[in-house]
Amino acid sequence: MLSVSDVDVRYGRARVLHGVSLEVPTGSLVCLMGRNGVGKTTLLKTTMGLLRPAAGRVELEGEDITGLPTHQRVRRGMAFVPQGHVSFPQLTVWENLQVTLEATSHRQASAVEEALAVFPTLRPLFKRPAGFLSGGQRQQLAIARALITRPRLLLLDEPTEGVQPSVIDEIELAVRRLHRQAGLTVLLVEQYLDLALRLADSFVVLDAGRVAHAGPVAELHDESVRRLLSV
Amino acid sequence: MAALANQLPIGLSIAAVLLLIALGLTFTFGQMGVVNMAHGEFIMVGAYTAYLLQGAVGGQSLLVALPVAFAVAGLLGLLLEWSLIRRFYGRPLDTLLLTWGVSLVLQQLARDVFGAPNVQVTAPAWLVGGVDVLGVRLPHNRVFITALAALCVLGVGLYLAKLPQGRRMRAVVQNRELAACSGIATGRVDRSTFLLGSGLAGVAGVALTLVGPVGPGLGTFYIVDAFLVVVAGGLGRLRGAVLAALALGFLNGYLEFWTDASLAKVLVFVAVIAFLQIRPQGMVALRGRSLG
Ligand SMILES: Nc1ncnc2c1ncn2[C@@H]1O[C@H](COP(=O)(O)OP(=O)(O)OP(=O)(O)O)[C@@H](O)[C@H]1O
Ligand SMILES: [Mg+2]
């Protein structure tokens, strides 16, 4: 589904990713891991077209999308839930969902209903500006917004960060269902090891902007891998 | 006391002019952060459009001029965004110099095409004369401008609150990256924001032909006032712009009454600067837990 090969990414002079490659096969759930600041978010943003790599390629189902604008990647079935419960703060919850629906090519209002079926707690909050929601509520809104685009590939950047345990469970359940039942392909950034073990098929560990290890999820028990993740 | 009441409708009509010239700027400057010095020249373009149409159309040319000026100034604004400004987002100093340069070019163009002396647009017959409001004789043209300002604000308010295009515009302003990730073609939204903001400047230009002559320097005369209203109101806040225009309009009206026009302008300027020292975010600030 997604194939990233040899990407270099810089912020100004600082080189953050060094020849990173990554495969996300169709129907898989790949977990991207690594300590703070190793470049996980940078890799996801590059995949989404929010950052341009200085070198390397990004391919979606065999098509080179390295230079494609972000909104066209969304049209091609990619969705991204950024780190940190991001929303349009002065739009109401309903407007947050509606503005996304209006930008899709399918425009089917049923997509909103499907997303609300996953996170029913959002419905009573419809009229509230998103900026007034709690972090957990905003994260559910963010995932719901991504689902409205009817993605085939979902990129999640630390969806459980700073969210209370009961909402973590809801998010885990939602991701599991979407992956197992709806067949959604997922690239998940997650620091929480247990969650990665429960959800992922395989994982990739970044260290200082390079791929330090990649393998099936069972290898997460290896001592050498654990060392890459501990602070 | 009677004098106070007398100045009320005058203050209102000054407020209406301020609002019209500032409304478009709340989009290009307030929402998009482009210090758009060419805004004044889009007002001028609107005024000259009315001047040209009066020769071509005659009688009801004013009503024809409103939409035509919107289109002409709007397309110019779109062209400016597409050709130059979009390459300089996030670089306020560069866009300031750039749009200032564009404003000088447009002024010179106007001088070449229409000549340096002012020209006059004759108001249609139905705008000659006046009505009595609160015991004050108020000219029809002032009533017309006030109604036009109210209509424009209403239209813009509805556009932003109810229409999909307005929703998209707000989304892009609040979080550009997230908007792109939601599938919104942000570049296209930027262009339509400029179209709208500049088009409104054109409409303001048509209105200004009713209260004074038209010349290449028309925009220069109004640009500072427009920025004052937007900044005092709170960047990009429609409600703020309305409040600021009203406050500045009434202040100006009363000060003009007690002192004279040029001193009143200076005093209003000082008042706005003082106000911004106390409340840098303007009259209407953003609310919400986070801006992220
Ligand atoms: N906009 C930016 N400008 C300059 N440097 C940046 C920028 N964003 C991130 N960086 C740097 O790039 C490196 C990688 O950042 P990135 O956000 O990708 O890390 P991360 O793995 O997602 O970290 P975390 O686990 O904390 O989210 C860090 O050293 C960071 O300081
Ligand atoms: Mg990160």
Side-chain angles (χ1 to χ4, degrees):
Chain A
M1 169 78 66
L2 176 73
S3 159
V4 175
S5 28
D6 294 318
V7 296
D8 285 358
V9 180
R10 303 158 192 273
Y11 292 107
R13 290 245 184 85
R15 192 155 156 208
V16 173
L17 294 183
H18 308 260
V20 170
S21 298
L22 176 88
E23 290 289 330
V24 182
T26 304
S28 67
L29 195 154
V30 177
C31 192
L32 179 62
M33 309 182 83
R35 299 189 189 102
N36 289 131
V38 295
K40 304 181 295 294
T41 298
T42 304
L43 182 55
L44 254 54
K45 284 190 169 179
T46 307
T47 307
M48 213 47 214
L50 296 171
L51 293 170
R52 291 265 174 271
R57 278 162 75 87
V58 181
E59 281 175 26
L60 183 70
E61 295 179 315
E63 183 194 3
D64 184 356
I65 58 165
T66 317
L68 202 67
T70 301
H71 70 272
Q72 284 177 20
R73 298 182 198 218
V74 177
R75 299 263 155 100
R76 281 180 174 57
M78 296 174 75
F80 175 41
V81 176
Q83 187 169 6
H85 331 138
V86 194
S87 62
F88 302 114
Q90 278 111 44
L91 298 191
T92 64
V93 168
W94 181 81
E95 286 174 323
N96 265 272
L97 300 174
Q98 190 65 19
V99 81
T100 308
L101 177 68
E102 284 158 358
T104 60
S105 40
H106 62 76
R107 302 274 181 105
Q108 287 165 0
S110 56
V112 177
E113 290 305 316
E114 286 159 26
L116 286 170
V118 180
F119 296 113
T121 44
L122 289 174
R123 201 184 290 272
L125 303 170
F126 260 17
K127 291 192 173 146
R128 210 95 61 90
F132 286 129
L133 302 186
S134 73
Q137 289 168 332
R138 262 185 287 145
Q139 189 64 302
Q140 291 174 312
L141 174 61
I143 300 175
R145 212 180 30 235
L147 294 180
I148 284 176
T149 65
R150 297 232 164 104
R152 284 172 297 136
L153 170 65
L154 180 61
L155 313 179
L156 292 162
D157 197 350
E158 307 208 25
T160 62
E161 187 190 32
V163 167
Q164 72 186 50
S166 68
V167 180
I168 294 187
D169 291 344
E170 271 185 58
I171 291 175
E172 180 181 345
L173 189 70
V175 173
R176 185 192 308 280
R177 285 223 182 109
L178 290 164
H179 173 55
R180 301 266 162 86
Q181 290 170 18
L184 192 63
T185 308
V186 181
L187 175 58
L188 170 71
V189 174
E190 183 58 65
Q191 306 251 30
Y192 184 31
L193 200 64
D194 289 342
L195 192 68
L197 278 168
R198 285 202 297 271
L199 280 176
D201 310 316
S202 64
F203 71 99
V204 174
V205 181
L206 285 185
D207 192 29
R210 291 191 165 82
V211 175
H213 192 103
V217 76
E219 288 178 15
L220 268 178
H221 294 292
D222 292 2
E223 191 52 38
S224 60
V225 174
R226 295 248 166 164
R227 219 174 302 124
L228 284 168
L229 297 174
S230 63
V231 202
Chain B
M1 207 53 222
L4 279 183
N6 278 352
Q7 287 305 105
L8 218 68
I10 294 174
L12 188 64
S13 71
I14 298 178
V17 170
L18 285 175
L19 190 53
L20 275 174
I21 60 172
L23 199 55
L25 203 60
T26 62
F27 286 95
T28 52
F29 174 52
Q31 304 253 2
M32 300 191 56
V34 172
V35 184
N36 183 13
M37 299 302 284
H39 183 76
E41 278 55 50
F42 294 146
I43 294 178
M44 173 195 78
V45 165
Y48 275 114
T49 305
Y51 171 69
L52 284 178
L53 282 175
Q54 104 178 321
V57 185
Q60 298 306 315
S61 67
L62 183 74
L63 295 182
V64 181
L66 288 171
V68 175
F70 182 92
V72 173
L75 287 175
L76 261 175
L78 188 149
L79 191 70
L80 175 66
E81 198 278 342
W82 176 79
S83 60
L84 294 169
I85 289 175
R86 73 187 165 117
R87 295 165 219 275
F88 295 95
Y89 282 124
R91 291 159 65 178
L93 198 59
D94 293 340
T95 47
L96 185 149
L97 291 174
L98 191 74
T99 53
W100 188 47
V102 170
S103 110
L104 293 180
V105 169
L106 287 175
Q107 282 178 44
Q108 189 54 46
L109 266 176
R111 235 170 260 126
D112 292 345
V113 176
F114 300 100
N118 287 342
V119 296
Q120 197 76 44
V121 177
T122 329
W126 49 273
L127 279 183
V128 179
V131 284
D132 284 321
V133 183
L134 301 169
V136 197
R137 186 131 188 94
L138 199 64
H140 277 152
N141 58 4
R142 292 279 178 181
V143 178
F144 178 80
I145 288 178
T146 309
L148 181 65
L151 213 68
C152 285
V153 169
L154 206 70
V156 166
L158 282 177
Y159 176 85
L160 286 174
K162 302 283 181 220
L163 293 188
Q165 291 86 340
R167 224 180 337 261
R168 269 203 287 281
M169 194 177 286
R170 285 188 294 150
V172 170
V173 168
Q174 286 170 38
N175 192 329
R176 177 169 294 272
E177 285 198 347
L178 188 64
C181 291
S182 305
I184 296 171
T186 55
R188 195 187 309 163
V189 173
D190 291 341
R191 287 197 289 282
S192 55
T193 307
F194 254 83
L195 178 86
L196 188 63
S198 311
L200 286 167
V203 170
V206 176
L208 288 179
T209 64
L210 294 173
V211 294
V214 179
L218 183 74
T220 328
F221 187 75
Y222 284 104
I223 187 78
V224 175
D225 286 342
F227 272 104
L228 276 189
V229 170
V230 176
V231 174
L235 289 189
R237 314 304 290 165
L238 182 60
R239 214 151 32 93
V242 175
L243 284 177
L246 285 172
L248 297 191
F250 284 120
L251 195 63
N252 211 323
Y254 284 112
L255 287 173
E256 245 175 57
F257 179 67
W258 282 312
T259 61
D260 62 79
S262 52
L263 186 57
K265 260 197 124 159
V266 174
L267 289 176
V268 167
F269 189 77
V270 172
V272 171
I273 302 294
F275 172 74
L276 288 174
Q277 296 302 310
I278 306 164
R279 230 184 122 75
Q281 72 274 41
M283 290 180 175
V284 179
L286 299 175
R287 291 174 304 150
R289 266 198 200 177
S290 80
L291 300 177

